[in-house]
Each structure stands twice: as C-alpha cells, then as structure tokens.
Amino acid sequence: DRAKDASVASARFVQSAFDPDHPANIQILTRDGLPVFSSPAGLSRKLPTSVLREYRTNDTTHLRCYSLATPLYFISMALPVDDADASLRALGLTLGIAMPVALLASLLLGYRIAKRGLAPIDEITSTAHRITSLSLRKRIPSTGTDDELGRLVTTLNEMIERLEGSFTAITKFTTNAAHEMRTPLTILRGEIELALRKKTLAPDARAVLESNIEEVNRLILIVEDLFTLARADSNALSLS
C-alpha cells in the first residue's frame, strides 16, 4: 500500500507539472494489468506498457507514450504531440518552399561570382592571343594585385619581354649578316663580269666564270631576301 500511495503521489506530482491545456495522461497498472491510478484527463483505454510507442486515441489525438516497469507496477505517461506535429509540418512546408529558392539563388550568385572571378583570365587570354611576332611590344594589362593572377600576368609579361629580346637579337643578326655578305658578293660579281669582258679569255675559263656569276647572283638574291625579311620583322617594311 505504501508503494502504491507513493507511486500515485508521484504520478499526480508529475501530471501537475504540465500545461493544463496539454495535460499529461498518466496510468499506473499492476503487474496483472489492474488499474491503480489514472490521470484526470481520463483515458478510454489502457496505455501501452512498451518502453516507447506512438498511437492515436478515438478522437485522433496523437500521443507519444513512455512506460517504466517497476517490480510492482507499470507506470505509463502519454503526451499529446499534435502541436509538435503541426510545427513539423509547417517547418517541412517552409523548407520545401525555401530550399529550392535558396538553391536557385545560390546557383545564380555562384555563377555571377565565378564569372566575375574569371573575367581577368578571359582578358589575359584574349590579350595573349593578340600578341604575335610583329607585336611583341604589347604587354598584358596588370591586375594591380599580388595574388595568383597578378603573378601570372607578371610571369607572362616577363616571358614576352624575353621573346622580344630574342627576336630583336635574331633580327639584328640577320640584318648585319645580310649587309656584310651583300658587299663582298657585289664586289665578287663585279670582278667576274670584268673578267668575262676580256676577249683573250679561254673558252673553259669563260664557262667557269659564267657558272660562278650565276651562283653569285643566286647568293645575292638570297641575301636580299634575308635583308628584306629582317627589315619586315623589325616593322621597317610591310610585306604584301
């Protein structure tokens, strides 16, 4: 009896701690299933004695039942969770609407950020495509930052500067070589032409000199072409 009275007193204390608008339903049953105590809410059926279970009453109230087994009694407490269900449904509806909108907004924002971030790379690419052997004086505009893109632009400009120096050196060498070769070849052609004017020249010697002057003229044409190309590379002459 003392255990029964103590259990009933504990059940009433627990029941009084809940909101009157959302009362807790408490039952105490003996091991044989006989009711010892029922909360004032009054249940039309016995609460389940399983550890945790959810079910609905006749008026479709959604209850969540917690049970505790003692050596003498089964103590069960059922709490209505309809408000929690309504809150979860509202939350699910809100998330169902908000998530697609947030996802779409994130995609659009990410696209704009990525496009803005890749714009300097597009500028670097287009400028690099416009630089040729005839426009090595051009440089890629600096981004003004010390990040990866800024260092990339600096490295590319330094490479273009080295290429410009190499092309300039090659052009100067070709121009100087053509100029140095043109003078002796012209002198050699003049001397051969002068030798061919001699009437006492033997036929075999004349044939050799005529062959030599043909080769000299060919070399002179090659030198003139090299000189023309060198002037074109240095933008001193436009080729059609």
Side-chain angles (χ1 to χ4, degrees):
D1 291 335
R2 290 181 179 178
K4 174 181 177 182
D5 294 339
S7 299
V8 171
S10 299
R12 288 175 176 170
F13 176 77
V14 172
Q15 200 276 337
S16 65
F18 287 88
D19 186 354
D21 295 332
H22 303 87
N25 300 302
I26 302 175
Q27 279 186 349
I28 300 177
L29 305 177
T30 63
R31 284 288 184 173
D32 298 330
L34 298 176
V36 175
F37 173 82
S38 179
S39 66
L43 297 176
S44 58
R45 55 179 291 183
K46 293 181 181 180
L47 295 176
T49 56
S50 57
V51 178
L52 177 62
R53 184 178 176 184
E54 296 187 11
Y55 70 98
R56 292 187 179 275
T57 61
N58 293 335
D59 60 351
T60 68
T61 300
H62 184 198
L63 299 177
R64 181 171 296 167
C65 182
Y66 304 88
S67 297
L68 174 66
T70 66
L72 299 178
Y73 305 103
F74 288 109
I75 301 176
S76 301
M77 181 174 65
L79 299 174
V81 292
D82 288 331
D83 290 344
D85 291 341
S87 298
L88 289 175
R89 286 192 296 270
L91 178 61
L93 180 61
T94 302
L95 291 178
I97 297 175
M99 287 298 291
V101 175
L103 180 60
L104 180 60
S106 299
L107 290 175
L108 293 177
L109 181 62
Y111 173 76
R112 293 193 62 181
I113 293 176
K115 186 176 181 180
R116 181 177 298 178
L118 293 175
I121 298 179
D122 292 337
E123 179 65 21
I124 293 172
T125 303
S126 60
T127 304
H129 276 301
R130 291 193 298 267
I131 297 176
T132 64
S133 60
L134 299 179
S135 59
L136 287 175
R137 293 174 181 169
K138 292 182 179 180
R139 295 295 183 267
I140 299 174
S142 175
T143 59
T145 59
D146 193 24
D147 54 6
E148 289 79 3
L149 286 178
R151 291 192 291 272
L152 176 62
V153 170
T154 301
T155 302
L156 290 175
N157 285 333
E158 291 176 353
M159 181 187 67
I160 296 171
E161 184 176 356
R162 290 193 296 270
L163 289 174
E164 182 185 8
S166 299
F167 271 84
T168 301
I170 293 173
T171 301
K172 288 183 178 179
F173 173 78
T174 305
T175 303
N176 294 334
H179 180 73
E180 293 296 331
M181 292 175 65
R182 183 169 55 178
T183 300
L185 287 174
T186 303
I187 295 174
L188 180 61
R189 182 177 62 180
E191 292 177 349
I192 295 174
E193 289 176 348
L194 183 61
L196 288 173
R197 291 177 183 176
K198 294 180 179 181
K199 298 180 180 180
T200 59
L201 189 64
D204 294 339
R206 184 177 295 277
V208 172
L209 291 176
E210 290 177 350
S211 176
N212 287 340
I213 200 171
E214 290 180 0
E215 297 299 329
V216 170
N217 288 332
R218 187 179 296 109
L219 287 174
I220 291 175
L221 289 176
I222 293 175
V223 170
E224 291 293 337
D225 291 340
L226 289 175
F227 190 72
T228 303
L229 290 175
R231 293 173 61 193
D233 288 339
S234 61
N235 293 329
L237 181 65
S238 298
L239 292 179
S240 59

